[in-house]
Amino acid sequence: MAEQDFDTLTQGEQNASDHVRSLCWDGGRPFCPKCRGAKIYHLSEQRYRCPHCTYTFHDFSRRWLNVGGLSPGQWVMLCGHFAEELTANQMSQTMEISYNTAYKAMTTLRLAILSQALDSRQFLGRDAEIDLGVEYVPPPRYKSAINVPVFGILERLGLVFIDLVPGLQGETLFHFHINFHLRLARMGKLVYSDRYKQYDAMIACGDNSLPYHILHGRKEAPSIDSGRHGFWSYARKRLQRYSGITPRRFPLYIKELEFRYNHRQEDIRPVLLELLCRFVPTLT
Ligand SMILES: [Zn+2]
Protein backbone atom coordinates (compact mmCIF):
# COMPACT_ATOMS: atom_id res chain seq x y z
CA MET A 1 0.00 0.00 0.00
CA ALA A 2 1.36 3.44 -0.95
CA GLU A 3 1.95 6.02 1.77
CA GLN A 4 -0.63 8.33 0.27
CA ASP A 5 -3.25 5.58 0.30
CA PHE A 6 -2.65 4.94 3.96
CA ASP A 7 -2.96 8.66 4.71
CA THR A 8 -6.46 8.71 3.18
CA LEU A 9 -7.51 6.11 5.78
CA THR A 10 -7.08 8.67 8.50
CA GLN A 11 -9.69 10.88 6.81
CA GLY A 12 -12.97 9.72 8.21
CA GLU A 13 -14.10 6.71 10.17
CA GLN A 14 -16.04 5.20 7.25
CA ASN A 15 -12.94 5.10 5.05
CA ALA A 16 -10.95 3.30 7.71
CA SER A 17 -13.79 0.97 8.58
CA ASP A 18 -14.35 -0.13 4.95
CA HIS A 19 -10.66 -0.72 4.43
CA VAL A 20 -10.21 -2.69 7.66
CA ARG A 21 -13.26 -4.83 6.86
CA SER A 22 -11.86 -5.70 3.46
CA LEU A 23 -8.48 -6.53 5.03
CA CYS A 24 -10.23 -8.84 7.50
CA TRP A 25 -11.78 -10.95 4.76
CA ASP A 26 -8.91 -10.48 2.34
CA GLY A 27 -11.34 -8.89 -0.10
CA GLY A 28 -13.53 -12.00 -0.09
CA ARG A 29 -16.69 -13.13 1.67
CA PRO A 30 -17.02 -13.50 5.45
CA PHE A 31 -16.71 -17.01 6.88
CA CYS A 32 -17.12 -18.45 10.35
CA PRO A 33 -14.06 -17.55 12.44
CA LYS A 34 -14.75 -20.47 14.77
CA CYS A 35 -15.22 -23.49 12.46
CA ARG A 36 -14.19 -21.75 9.20
CA GLY A 37 -17.51 -22.74 7.63
CA ALA A 38 -18.16 -20.83 4.41
CA LYS A 39 -21.95 -20.84 4.67
CA ILE A 40 -23.19 -18.07 6.96
CA TYR A 41 -26.42 -16.16 7.58
CA HIS A 42 -26.52 -12.38 7.62
CA LEU A 43 -28.25 -10.95 10.70
CA SER A 44 -29.06 -7.33 11.42
CA GLU A 45 -26.42 -4.72 12.35
CA GLN A 46 -23.64 -6.36 10.34
CA ARG A 47 -23.65 -9.52 12.39
CA TYR A 48 -23.51 -13.06 11.06
CA ARG A 49 -24.43 -16.53 12.28
CA CYS A 50 -22.84 -19.82 11.37
CA PRO A 51 -25.50 -22.56 10.87
CA HIS A 52 -22.87 -25.24 11.41
CA CYS A 53 -21.54 -24.29 14.88
CA THR A 54 -24.22 -21.61 15.74
CA TYR A 55 -21.52 -19.01 16.44
CA THR A 56 -22.76 -15.42 16.10
CA PHE A 57 -20.08 -12.97 15.09
CA HIS A 58 -19.21 -9.70 13.40
CA ASP A 59 -16.39 -8.70 11.06
CA PHE A 60 -13.87 -8.15 13.86
CA SER A 61 -14.75 -11.10 16.11
CA ARG A 62 -11.72 -13.04 17.37
CA ARG A 63 -9.29 -10.64 15.77
CA TRP A 64 -6.64 -8.53 17.47
CA LEU A 65 -8.38 -5.27 16.61
CA ASN A 66 -11.36 -6.47 18.62
CA VAL A 67 -9.15 -6.39 21.73
CA GLY A 68 -8.86 -2.96 23.26
CA GLY A 69 -12.03 -1.11 22.34
CA LEU A 70 -10.71 1.19 19.60
CA SER A 71 -12.62 1.98 16.40
CA PRO A 72 -11.05 1.17 12.99
CA GLY A 73 -10.22 4.87 12.54
CA GLN A 74 -8.50 4.95 15.92
CA TRP A 75 -6.52 1.81 15.09
CA VAL A 76 -5.34 3.43 11.85
CA MET A 77 -4.16 6.46 13.84
CA LEU A 78 -2.53 4.25 16.45
CA CYS A 79 -0.60 2.34 13.76
CA GLY A 80 0.70 5.67 12.46
CA HIS A 81 1.83 6.85 15.90
CA PHE A 82 3.29 3.45 16.73
CA ALA A 83 5.35 3.63 13.53
CA GLU A 84 6.62 7.04 14.74
CA GLU A 85 7.54 5.39 18.07
CA LEU A 86 5.33 7.57 20.23
CA THR A 87 5.12 6.57 23.90
CA ALA A 88 1.81 5.54 25.46
CA ASN A 89 1.71 8.91 27.17
CA GLN A 90 2.19 10.86 23.92
CA MET A 91 -0.27 8.54 22.20
CA SER A 92 -2.99 9.17 24.79
CA GLN A 93 -2.58 12.95 24.44
CA THR A 94 -2.48 13.00 20.63
CA MET A 95 -5.43 10.63 20.26
CA GLU A 96 -7.38 12.02 23.25
CA ILE A 97 -7.80 8.60 24.83
CA SER A 98 -6.89 7.54 28.36
CA TYR A 99 -3.37 6.40 29.13
CA ASN A 100 -4.69 2.91 30.00
CA THR A 101 -6.51 2.60 26.68
CA ALA A 102 -3.39 3.66 24.78
CA TYR A 103 -1.18 1.31 26.78
CA LYS A 104 -3.50 -1.67 26.29
CA ALA A 105 -3.90 -0.98 22.58
CA MET A 106 -0.12 -0.82 22.20
CA THR A 107 0.17 -4.13 24.05
CA THR A 108 -2.39 -5.64 21.68
CA LEU A 109 -0.37 -4.41 18.71
CA ARG A 110 2.82 -5.83 20.23
CA LEU A 111 1.06 -9.18 20.78
CA ALA A 112 -0.08 -9.14 17.15
CA ILE A 113 3.55 -8.56 16.10
CA LEU A 114 4.75 -11.32 18.41
CA SER A 115 2.13 -13.76 17.14
CA GLN A 116 3.30 -13.47 13.51
CA ALA A 117 6.82 -14.59 14.44
CA LEU A 118 7.69 -18.12 13.38
CA ASP A 119 8.42 -19.14 16.97
CA SER A 120 5.39 -17.39 18.46
CA ARG A 121 3.95 -20.68 19.71
CA GLN A 122 6.60 -20.71 22.38
CA PHE A 123 5.29 -17.43 23.74
CA LEU A 124 1.60 -17.81 23.08
CA GLY A 125 1.08 -21.36 24.27
CA ARG A 126 -1.14 -22.38 27.14
CA ASP A 127 1.18 -20.90 29.73
CA ALA A 128 0.78 -17.51 28.11
CA GLU A 129 -2.84 -17.47 29.29
CA ILE A 130 -4.17 -16.05 26.07
CA ASP A 131 -7.89 -16.08 26.54
CA LEU A 132 -10.31 -15.00 23.87
CA GLY A 133 -13.02 -14.60 26.46
CA VAL A 134 -11.39 -11.62 28.13
CA GLU A 135 -11.43 -8.20 26.61
CA TYR A 136 -7.81 -7.55 27.38
CA VAL A 137 -5.22 -10.14 26.41
CA PRO A 138 -2.40 -10.14 28.95
CA PRO A 139 1.22 -10.39 27.83
CA PRO A 140 3.03 -13.72 28.14
CA ARG A 141 3.50 -15.08 31.62
CA TYR A 142 6.13 -17.51 32.72
CA LYS A 143 5.69 -20.13 35.38
CA SER A 144 7.73 -18.39 38.05
CA ALA A 145 9.55 -15.12 38.52
CA ILE A 146 12.87 -17.00 38.52
CA ASN A 147 12.16 -18.37 35.08
CA VAL A 148 13.86 -15.64 33.06
CA PRO A 149 13.91 -16.51 29.35
CA VAL A 150 17.10 -16.00 27.36
CA PHE A 151 17.03 -14.80 23.75
CA GLY A 152 19.70 -15.31 21.14
CA ILE A 153 20.46 -12.47 18.70
CA LEU A 154 21.63 -13.47 15.24
CA GLU A 155 22.06 -11.04 12.36
CA ARG A 156 22.77 -12.16 8.82
CA LEU A 157 22.58 -10.12 5.60
CA GLY A 158 20.80 -7.26 7.32
CA LEU A 159 18.07 -9.39 8.87
CA VAL A 160 17.95 -10.11 12.57
CA PHE A 161 16.55 -13.22 14.23
CA ILE A 162 15.69 -13.18 17.91
CA ASP A 163 15.19 -16.73 19.17
CA LEU A 164 14.19 -18.06 22.52
CA VAL A 165 17.21 -20.17 23.50
CA PRO A 166 15.84 -23.49 24.76
CA GLY A 167 16.98 -24.75 28.15
CA LEU A 168 18.67 -21.49 29.17
CA GLN A 169 17.65 -19.17 31.97
CA GLY A 170 18.90 -15.78 33.07
CA GLU A 171 20.86 -17.48 35.83
CA THR A 172 22.65 -19.68 33.30
CA LEU A 173 24.28 -16.58 31.78
CA PHE A 174 25.87 -15.79 35.15
CA HIS A 175 26.94 -19.40 35.53
CA PHE A 176 28.64 -19.25 32.10
CA HIS A 177 30.22 -15.96 33.05
CA ILE A 178 31.75 -17.25 36.27
CA ASN A 179 32.76 -20.71 35.10
CA PHE A 180 33.45 -20.27 31.39
CA HIS A 181 34.38 -16.56 31.25
CA LEU A 182 31.48 -15.64 28.95
CA ARG A 183 31.56 -11.85 28.82
CA LEU A 184 28.44 -10.24 30.27
CA ALA A 185 27.25 -6.66 30.52
CA ARG A 186 24.35 -5.05 32.27
CA MET A 187 21.95 -2.32 31.16
CA GLY A 188 19.34 -1.72 33.85
CA LYS A 189 17.50 -5.01 34.30
CA LEU A 190 18.90 -6.32 31.01
CA VAL A 191 21.92 -8.53 30.82
CA TYR A 192 23.60 -9.45 27.53
CA SER A 193 26.54 -11.62 26.58
CA ASP A 194 29.36 -12.13 24.14
CA ARG A 195 29.00 -14.52 21.19
CA TYR A 196 27.64 -17.93 22.06
CA LYS A 197 27.29 -20.82 19.60
CA GLN A 198 25.61 -19.41 16.47
CA TYR A 199 24.42 -16.26 18.26
CA ASP A 200 26.07 -12.85 18.13
CA ALA A 201 24.87 -12.37 21.69
CA MET A 202 22.36 -13.58 24.23
CA ILE A 203 20.07 -11.25 26.13
CA ALA A 204 17.70 -11.58 29.07
CA CYS A 205 15.60 -9.26 31.16
CA GLY A 206 15.87 -10.33 34.75
CA ASP A 207 14.30 -9.46 38.04
CA ASN A 208 15.87 -9.07 41.46
CA SER A 209 16.62 -12.80 41.64
CA LEU A 210 19.64 -12.36 39.32
CA PRO A 211 23.08 -11.71 40.87
CA TYR A 212 23.74 -8.45 38.98
CA HIS A 213 26.32 -7.40 41.62
CA ILE A 214 28.75 -9.94 40.13
CA LEU A 215 29.09 -7.69 37.08
CA HIS A 216 30.01 -4.62 39.11
CA GLY A 217 33.25 -3.07 37.89
CA ARG A 218 33.75 -5.50 34.99
CA LYS A 219 35.37 -3.86 32.00
CA GLU A 220 35.37 -6.46 29.22
CA ALA A 221 32.44 -5.55 26.97
CA PRO A 222 30.69 -8.20 24.86
CA SER A 223 31.68 -7.98 21.18
CA ILE A 224 28.20 -6.76 20.25
CA ASP A 225 29.12 -3.42 21.93
CA SER A 226 31.81 -2.75 19.31
CA GLY A 227 29.44 -0.40 17.44
CA ARG A 228 29.56 -2.54 14.31
CA HIS A 229 26.46 -4.64 15.00
CA GLY A 230 23.55 -3.21 13.01
CA PHE A 231 20.71 -4.50 15.13
CA TRP A 232 22.37 -3.77 18.46
CA SER A 233 23.19 -0.19 17.45
CA TYR A 234 19.51 0.18 16.52
CA ALA A 235 18.08 -1.61 19.56
CA ARG A 236 20.38 -0.45 22.35
CA LYS A 237 19.13 3.13 22.60
CA ARG A 238 15.53 2.00 22.27
CA LEU A 239 15.86 -0.60 25.03
CA GLN A 240 17.30 2.09 27.28
CA ARG A 241 14.14 4.13 26.78
CA TYR A 242 11.81 1.35 27.95
CA SER A 243 11.63 2.14 31.61
CA GLY A 244 10.29 -0.38 34.09
CA ILE A 245 10.84 -3.27 31.70
CA THR A 246 9.83 -6.61 33.27
CA PRO A 247 10.72 -10.23 32.41
CA ARG A 248 7.08 -10.80 31.53
CA ARG A 249 6.86 -7.97 29.01
CA PHE A 250 10.37 -8.32 27.64
CA PRO A 251 9.46 -10.78 24.80
CA LEU A 252 7.00 -8.16 23.50
CA TYR A 253 9.68 -5.48 23.32
CA ILE A 254 12.49 -7.58 21.89
CA LYS A 255 10.23 -9.10 19.22
CA GLU A 256 8.91 -5.63 18.41
CA LEU A 257 12.49 -4.47 17.83
CA GLU A 258 13.13 -7.52 15.65
CA PHE A 259 10.08 -6.56 13.57
CA ARG A 260 10.99 -2.87 13.38
CA TYR A 261 14.58 -3.60 12.41
CA ASN A 262 13.66 -6.10 9.70
CA HIS A 263 11.14 -3.63 8.25
CA ARG A 264 13.30 -0.53 8.76
CA GLN A 265 13.28 0.35 5.04
CA GLU A 266 9.48 0.10 4.74
CA ASP A 267 6.38 2.01 5.75
CA ILE A 268 5.26 -0.33 8.54
CA ARG A 269 1.80 1.24 9.03
CA PRO A 270 -0.07 -0.97 6.52
CA VAL A 271 1.81 -4.02 7.82
CA LEU A 272 0.73 -3.23 11.39
CA LEU A 273 -2.87 -2.76 10.31
CA GLU A 274 -2.85 -6.06 8.47
CA LEU A 275 -1.48 -7.83 11.57
CA LEU A 276 -4.26 -6.35 13.70
CA CYS A 277 -6.83 -7.83 11.31
CA ARG A 278 -5.54 -11.36 11.84
CA PHE A 279 -7.24 -13.82 14.15
CA VAL A 280 -5.89 -14.16 17.68
CA PRO A 281 -4.28 -17.61 17.72
CA THR A 282 -6.37 -20.16 19.55
CA LEU A 283 -5.01 -22.45 22.22
CA THR A 284 -4.10 -25.91 21.09
ZN1 LIG B 1 -19.00 -22.03 12.56
Side-chain angles (χ1 to χ4, degrees):
M1 178 182 238
E3 255 173 61
Q4 242 174 343
D5 293 342
F6 194 92
D7 289 337
T8 62
L9 296 180
T10 57
Q11 294 154 18
E13 189 64 48
Q14 192 59 45
N15 237 346
S17 180
D18 291 346
H19 179 73
V20 166
R21 242 174 263 279
S22 118
L23 275 181
C24 282
W25 303 114
D26 203 12
R29 290 157 52 89
F31 55 86
C32 173
K34 203 169 173 186
C35 74
R36 308 286 155 132
K39 187 184 173 190
I40 53 161
Y41 297 129
H42 290 251
L43 307 177
S44 60
E45 292 164 356
Q46 289 190 309
R47 287 177 310 132
Y48 316 100
R49 179 170 293 138
C50 170
H52 182 68
C53 72
T54 71
Y55 183 56
T56 302
F57 59 98
H58 54 84
D59 290 309
F60 307 149
S61 294
R62 299 193 156 218
R63 298 178 194 270
W64 289 112
L65 80 163
N66 204 34
V67 181
L70 296 190
S71 70
Q74 285 176 312
W75 276 122
V76 167
M77 279 171 72
L78 190 117
C79 287
H81 297 321
F82 192 84
E84 293 163 358
E85 303 187 60
L86 258 59
T87 63
N89 211 358
Q90 294 166 327
M91 197 92 80
S92 75
Q93 285 169 15
T94 312
M95 292 181 60
E96 297 178 341
I97 53 178
S98 74
Y99 173 83
N100 273 349
T101 304
Y103 183 80
K104 285 179 182 179
M106 287 169 84
T107 301
T108 299
L109 188 46
R110 290 187 166 115
L111 280 161
I113 291 170
L114 177 69
S115 72
Q116 54 88 48
L118 291 174
D119 55 355
S120 67
R121 279 282 164 208
Q122 297 175 73
F123 307 104
L124 301 172
R126 246 179 212 292
D127 291 339
E129 298 182 4
I130 294 288
D131 182 3
L132 284 170
V134 294
E135 201 206 314
Y136 170 55
V137 183
R141 177 180 290 171
Y142 296 93
K143 278 176 189 153
S144 85
I146 304 162
N147 191 355
V148 173
V150 173
F151 295 87
I153 301 172
L154 173 89
E155 182 166 351
R156 295 292 179 271
L157 303 170
L159 278 182
V160 75
F161 303 90
I162 311 282
D163 304 334
L164 193 61
V165 185
L168 250 56
Q169 290 210 26
E171 278 183 340
T172 326
L173 295 182
F174 287 86
H175 164 66
F176 286 179
H177 174 67
I178 293 165
N179 296 300
F180 307 113
H181 308 291
L182 179 73
R183 288 180 188 179
L184 274 194
R186 177 186 182 178
M187 189 167 75
K189 285 277 160 63
L190 300 179
V191 55
Y192 57 97
S193 80
D194 208 355
R195 285 192 196 92
Y196 175 77
K197 294 192 174 168
Q198 72 268 39
Y199 298 114
D200 306 334
M202 291 186 290
I203 187 167
C205 175
D207 50 25
N208 293 331
S209 69
L210 291 185
Y212 291 109
H213 61 274
I214 291 173
L215 303 176
H216 190 70
R218 300 268 166 156
K219 292 273 184 319
E220 292 184 328
S223 62
I224 203 170
D225 274 338
S226 68
R228 289 192 298 273
H229 195 275
F231 172 73
W232 191 239
S233 303
Y234 178 88
R236 202 177 200 286
K237 54 183 184 286
R238 288 172 168 82
L239 285 168
Q240 276 170 334
R241 278 210 301 265
Y242 296 140
S243 56
I245 203 160
T246 62
R248 196 175 161 201
R249 292 188 66 84
F250 184 60
L252 293 181
Y253 294 122
I254 196 77
K255 295 300 270 189
E256 174 195 338
L257 288 175
E258 178 192 45
F259 172 85
R260 283 190 191 274
Y261 186 71
N262 289 340
H263 291 83
R264 64 196 180 281
Q265 317 280 21
E266 299 166 42
D267 179 5
I268 59 169
R269 297 174 305 169
V271 188
L272 294 171
L273 195 60
E274 192 268 319
L275 289 177
L276 283 168
C277 291
R278 294 195 189 175
F279 291 114
V280 176
T282 48
L283 297 176
T284 48

